[in-house]
Amino acid sequence: MKTAYTIYGALGSGSVPVEATLTLLGQAYTVVEAPTWEGREQQAKVAPVNPMKQIPALVTPQGETITESAAILIWLADNHPEARLAPAIGDPRRGQFLRWMTFIPASIYSLFWVRDEPSRLAGPDPEAQARVKAATADRIADCWAMMDAQVEPRAYILGDELSVLDLYVAVVSRWGSRRVRFYERAPKMADVVRRVDSDPRLAEFWEKRFPFVEGWESKGASG
């Protein structure tokens, strides 16, 4: 009997691409639901494994804790090479894989720490908070556009095989200004994320963990 992974996460959050990866790998896992943005009670669930009190955090069957979504995804792909969810070391695509896996959290994902609670930087003034939200939305769109201009997708971003990079982009592109703006600014990756959305191996998973409710692509498009 397989020993399960444990993932600290939440619906629609940064744990979703990790959960999707474990699903594709056929690995047993349990989710500790901890929407940390809801306050101290939820943060306390994560604190024992991540002092930053942030999700996702993965506890491996061997008891090792790994945090940071990109690190978790790369680690899972590298530790299950048979699934071919990342270019192997020595593969000519490896450098670009690592480049974009790092670019997403550094340039895009990190901005949601500001967007989720703009008072962290803007203070209590509602107008200042609105300016921060607008500026970060523009920056996220610009970053997607910069990435799109420098990749040449086929069926997927790195070629004809699905990788954890595709899962990462498919999830993060649904946050904030949602997909309408992403489609406009990143047209080459648009078909890729739609392909990930419709992957039959993940249909049941998406329904449970990040459902495609009516109007999801445009809801929040001004944000």
Side-chain angles (χ1 to χ4, degrees):
M1 184 175 179
K2 293 181 181 178
T3 304
Y5 287 87
T6 301
I7 177 75
Y8 291 75
L11 293 170
S13 76
S15 70
V16 169
V18 176
E19 296 170 43
T21 299
L22 289 166
T23 299
L24 291 176
L25 292 172
Q27 295 294 309
Y29 68 95
T30 58
V31 178
V32 176
E33 201 72 19
T36 51
W37 53 87
E38 292 183 1
R40 293 182 180 178
E41 183 177 345
Q42 297 298 331
Q43 293 167 7
K45 295 179 183 179
V46 186
V49 295
N50 184 2
M52 292 289 286
K53 302 176 185 177
Q54 295 174 343
I55 56 173
L58 180 75
V59 180
T60 73
Q62 293 73 37
E64 180 181 7
T65 296
I66 307 172
T67 64
E68 311 309 319
S69 55
I72 296 169
L73 291 167
I74 294 168
W75 186 89
L76 284 171
D78 285 352
N79 277 269
H80 296 277
E82 71 286 351
R84 302 174 66 87
L85 288 177
I89 294 173
D91 187 306
R93 301 170 299 165
R94 181 72 178 190
Q96 293 305 301
F97 168 72
L98 293 175
R99 175 191 183 187
W100 298 120
M101 286 297 294
T102 305
F103 175 83
I104 292 168
S107 301
I108 298 171
Y109 193 148
S110 59
L111 290 177
F112 287 96
W113 181 84
V114 180
R115 290 183 56 75
D116 289 346
E117 196 174 323
S119 62
R120 286 169 168 154
L121 294 185
D125 180 11
E127 291 186 3
Q129 292 179 24
R131 288 195 296 271
V132 165
K133 290 203 73 170
T136 51
D138 288 344
R139 177 61 179 171
I140 289 167
D142 288 345
C143 286
W144 284 129
M146 284 187 280
M147 180 177 175
D148 196 69
Q150 296 177 78
V151 297
E152 293 299 333
R154 294 177 59 162
Y156 298 101
I157 294 171
L158 299 174
D160 293 321
E161 294 179 316
L162 173 73
S163 75
V164 292
L165 175 60
D166 303 297
L167 295 170
Y168 208 14
V169 173
V171 172
V172 177
S173 64
R174 292 183 63 180
W175 301 342
S177 57
R178 308 288 176 104
R179 282 280 185 77
V180 166
R181 199 168 186 187
F182 176 85
Y183 293 151
E184 292 171 350
R185 300 300 306 276
K188 287 191 288 185
M189 292 192 289
D191 285 342
V192 171
V193 295
R194 290 187 181 106
R195 188 167 288 111
V196 176
D197 294 343
S198 61
D199 191 313
R201 296 172 297 174
L202 292 170
E204 185 177 348
F205 171 79
W206 293 133
E207 182 63 28
K208 290 180 179 177
R209 300 302 291 164
F210 207 173
F212 301 110
V213 298
E214 185 176 354
W216 68 271
E217 290 176 302
S218 59
K219 200 176 292 181
S222 63

